Amino acid sequence: MRKPLSMFLAFMLLLSMAMPSAAFAGGFKSPGDANLVPGTILMGATPAYVDPNKPVVVFVQGLTNDSTVWYTDNDMYNRAFQAGYQTAFVELYDSGGSPRSYWDNGAMLAGQLQQISNHYGGKKLVIVAYSKGGVDTQVALIHQGKYPLVSNVITLGSPHYGSELADLANSSSFGWLANLIGQNSAGTQSLQTGNMRYFRSITDNRFEVSQNRYLSLAGNRTGPIFSSYWYGSGFIDGPSDGVVSVASSKLPYATSLGVGNWNHGEVNKGSNVFSIFQPYLTQQRAASTFSAFNEVAATAEVTEPSMDVLVRGGQQDGLASESFYVESEAEKLVINWLSATQHDKVELTRPGKAVPETFNVTSVEDDTMFFKGAYHHTITIDQPEAGEWKAATVSDAPTAYALMVTFDSALNDQLVLEPEADKKNWNLKTQNGLAAKSNGKASVKAFADIGFVPGNGKDNKKLGQKMRIFKQSGNAIQLPSEEGSYNMTVEVEGTTPTGEKFQRTVIKSVFVDEKGNAY
C-alpha cells in the first residue's frame, strides 16, 4: 500500500506545482475568492521566477461577467501563470449583478489600474479585455488618463462599434423581455450602436489613443446551429461571433491579430487565443506589424443588411399569440419564440386553417449576455403557405415573450430603410425593381415606435434612465434634435406585386449630441 500512496502524493505535488496557487499574501484577494464585489482586485499567484522584462497582465471582464470568466472552464489564467506572467483580475460593476455603462466601469477600472501599478512598483501593465471590457478599458486609459500605466491593450471580441443585440434588447418589441430577465441594464443601453458611434467620435481623435498599442482578436463562428449564438447572428450584419460583428470588433488604429473560428463564448478561451497574443505581452508598445494570418483576417467583408426579420413581443399571463403575414416569395421560415418561461409546445395556425398545429419544442437557454435568462423555442417551416399565420404559447404564470420570424425570401433585398446624411431622417424605399414590377399594386409603409432616453454622454458620462416613447408613420421617419439616445422599432407593412401582404421589422439606434449631430 505504501508504493501507491507515495505515487499519489508525488502526483499531487506535481499538480500543485502546475496550477497557480489560490493563496495570496497582501491586501488583495485571490482568483477563486467567492466574494466577487465590484471594485475588488484579485492578484494571481506569483510565478517561481519573476522576469523583470515581462509586464503584469491585467484581465478585464465583459458585460454581465465577473473574474471567473478567465479561470472557470477557461485555462487563460493557468496559461499566463505557466508562461511566467504576474497577473491581476478586476471586478467591475457587472460582478455585483448591476452592469453599468462603460463610463462608470471605466472610472472604476482607472482606480484599479492605479492600485495594481502601485503594487508592482510602476511595472508596465498589459490589458487583456473581453467583450465590453475593451470599451471599459478605453474609458480608463483615454478619458480617465491612465494610459501611462499600460503598454499594450488586447481586445477579444469587443463591440467597439456596439452590438445590434443591444439595439434589439432596447427595442419596443424585446424591451418587455429584456426588462423582465434583468438584462436591459445601463451596460446594455450603452452598447447600442448609435451610442457607440458617438463614443467613437469623442474618443478616436484624442491624443491618448496613440499612447498605447491596440491589438484585437475576433470570432466568426455562430454555431452550433440553434444555439444562442446562432440565434444572435441572425440579427447581426455581416460575419460575427453570435454577439459582436467582426467589423465592430476592429478599431481603425488597432492591429488585427486574426479572425478565428470561435463564437463569443470561445473567443476568450486561453486554449484558443493565448498563443496568438502572447508575443504582444511586452512592457514596450508592440510594433505595428502584420502576419499573413492578420492580412487574411483584415479582408473580412461587411455585408449590407437585408430586411429579413419580423419582431414582436410583450407581456404574457396565460395565452399569448402573435399573427404575421408570409408572402409567396418566402422559401423558408425560422420561427423563434423567446421567453422568460420554458415551453415544450408552440402552436402554429396556418393560413386558411381554423385549428392550430402543436409543435413539440426544446427550450434552449440563451447565453449571449444580452438575453441570458431567456429561452429559445424554434420551429423551421420549409415552403410556407402565403397568407396570415399565428404563433401562440401558454404560460402558467406572468412572464414576457418575444417572437422573431426570419424569412428566407427574395423580398428581403428589395426593401431598405436608409438614413439621409444627417442620420436624423430615415426613408423606407423599395429597390431591385420591386416598384417597377408592381404595376401600381405594390405598396409599403412604416410604423415607428421610437424610444428616447435623454442624457448627455460627454459631460456627465451617463445616459438618463427615464424613457419617452413617441410614434411616427409613413415612409419617412424624422428624429428630433434633443440630446440623447433614440431606439427605433420600425414595423414595415406592404403588399407584393401580386397583392399579397408582407411584414418586416427594422431596429436602429441613433445618438444625438448637444449640438444636434446624430450618430
Side-chain angles (χ1 to χ4, degrees), residues 181-201:
I181 60 179
Q183 299 301 343
N184 195 5
S185 63
T188 301
Q189 293 174 18
S190 70
L191 288 179
Q192 292 179 86
T193 56
N195 294 342
M196 284 305 304
R197 284 190 294 268
Y198 173 66
F199 177 80
R200 298 261 63 90
S201 76

Side-chain angles (χ1 to χ4, degrees), residues 45-299:
T46 303
Y49 168 68
V50 177
D51 187 339
N53 295 316
K54 286 184 176 180
V56 178
V57 182
V58 181
F59 292 96
V60 181
Q61 68 201 65
L63 180 69
T64 72
N65 300 145
D66 52 47
S67 66
T68 62
V69 75
W70 298 109
Y71 50 82
T72 299
D73 298 323
N74 188 353
D75 64 350
M76 182 71 82
Y77 170 31
N78 187 49
R79 283 178 180 264
F81 173 78
Q82 295 296 335
Y85 293 96
Q86 296 164 294
T87 56
F89 306 81
V90 297
E91 306 291 358
L92 301 179
Y93 286 106
D94 303 69
S95 300
S98 300
R100 296 194 189 179
S101 73
Y102 32 79
W103 296 117
D104 290 339
N105 269 5
M108 176 178 282
L109 178 59
Q112 292 169 315
L113 293 176
Q114 188 64 63
Q115 291 181 64
I116 296 168
S117 178
N118 292 345
H119 177 77
Y120 286 107
K123 194 175 187 182
K124 283 288 186 180
L125 314 177
V126 169
I127 295 178
V128 178
Y130 173 47
S131 196
K132 179 177 172 286
V135 187
D136 298 339
T137 295
Q138 286 207 293
V139 171
L141 301 188
I142 297 170
H143 294 276
Q144 295 289 329
K146 297 302 180 181
Y147 65 89
L149 309 180
V150 175
S151 56
N152 299 321
V153 178
I154 298 158
T155 64
L156 310 176
S158 291
H160 296 298
Y161 290 86
S163 173
E164 290 89 343
L165 296 188
D167 295 347
L168 184 62
N170 284 275
S171 69
S172 61
S173 297
F174 266 62
W176 293 104
L177 179 61
N179 286 331
L180 180 63
I181 60 179
Q183 299 301 343
N184 195 5
S185 63
T188 301
Q189 293 174 18
S190 70
L191 288 179
Q192 292 179 86
T193 56
N195 294 342
M196 284 305 304
R197 284 190 294 268
Y198 173 66
F199 177 80
R200 298 261 63 90
S201 76
I202 61 173
T203 300
D204 292 347
N205 59 356
R206 292 177 60 121
F207 160 79
E208 294 90 343
V209 168
S210 65
Q211 299 307 294
N212 303 114
R213 184 69 189 169
Y214 288 88
L215 309 105
S216 66
L217 276 162
N220 60 8
R221 169 171 141 84
T222 58
I225 189 170
F226 299 133
S227 69
S228 54
Y229 301 113
W230 182 83
Y231 295 120
S233 68
F235 201 77
I236 298 174
D237 301 336
S240 77
D241 62 9
V243 176
V244 178
S245 70
V246 171
S248 182
S249 70
K250 297 179 180 181
L251 289 166
Y253 44 82
T255 300
S256 174
L257 298 181
V259 179
N261 185 32
W262 316 300
N263 62 36
H264 198 70
E266 298 166 340
V267 73
N268 72 318
K269 301 298 186 186
S271 56
N272 292 332
V273 299
F274 183 79
S275 62
I276 298 174
F277 68 68
Q278 184 180 0
Y280 306 94
L281 301 180
T282 66
Q283 293 201 61
Q284 296 76 38
R285 286 176 54 196
S288 179
T289 58
F290 287 79
S291 67
F293 184 53
N294 302 335
E295 293 171 4
V296 172
T299 63

Side-chain angles (χ1 to χ4, degrees), residues 296-475:
V296 172
T299 63
E301 296 181 357
V302 178
T303 59
E304 288 297 324
S306 61
M307 202 175 291
D308 62 352
V309 298
L310 172 77
V311 180
R312 301 277 174 77
Q315 293 176 307
Q316 180 177 3
D317 189 1
L319 175 68
S321 65
E322 291 286 353
S323 297
F324 56 94
Y325 285 89
V326 177
E327 70 278 3
S328 58
E329 288 88 346
E331 297 181 1
K332 184 168 73 172
L333 303 178
V334 178
I335 300 168
N336 180 13
W337 189 282
L338 187 62
S339 174
T341 301
Q342 291 182 275
H343 296 286
D344 56 11
K345 293 179 175 61
V346 174
E347 291 186 344
L348 290 183
T349 305
R350 297 176 185 265
K353 302 292 184 181
V355 179
E357 296 178 51
T358 299
F359 289 79
N360 295 322
V361 294
T362 301
S363 294
V364 178
E365 187 173 6
D366 190 274
D367 195 31
T368 63
M369 73 188 64
F370 289 109
F371 300 104
K372 191 172 181 63
Y375 299 88
H376 299 269
H377 310 86
T378 305
I379 301 169
T380 300
I381 304 293
D382 292 315
Q383 301 302 320
E385 300 94 322
E388 185 179 14
W389 288 65
K390 184 168 72 173
T393 64
V394 177
S395 67
D396 295 329
T399 185
Y401 73 93
L403 173 69
M404 178 180 287
V405 182
T406 303
F407 296 80
D408 182 357
S409 172
L411 187 64
N412 297 346
D413 296 324
Q414 300 182 46
L415 301 164
V416 63
L417 181 69
E418 62 181 17
E420 295 182 7
D422 64 0
K423 294 185 175 62
K424 287 188 290 187
N425 293 282
W426 294 70
N427 300 303
L428 179 63
K429 298 180 179 179
T430 59
Q431 59 185 13
N432 297 334
L434 177 61
K437 298 173 185 176
S438 66
N439 295 321
K441 295 182 179 179
S443 64
V444 62
K445 192 173 183 180
F447 302 86
D449 284 350
I450 304 173
F452 171 62
V453 179
N456 187 323
K458 185 176 181 180
D459 293 339
N460 62 23
K461 307 294 192 294
K462 295 180 181 178
L463 292 173
Q465 298 301 303
K466 185 177 181 180
M467 176 179 286
R468 304 202 302 266
I469 297 178
F470 55 96
K471 299 179 181 290
Q472 291 186 16
S473 62
N475 286 6

Side-chain angles (χ1 to χ4, degrees), residues 479-491:
L479 299 177
S481 295
E482 186 175 353
E483 184 179 17
S485 178
Y486 296 82
N487 184 290
M488 302 185 297
T489 303
V490 184
E491 298 287 343

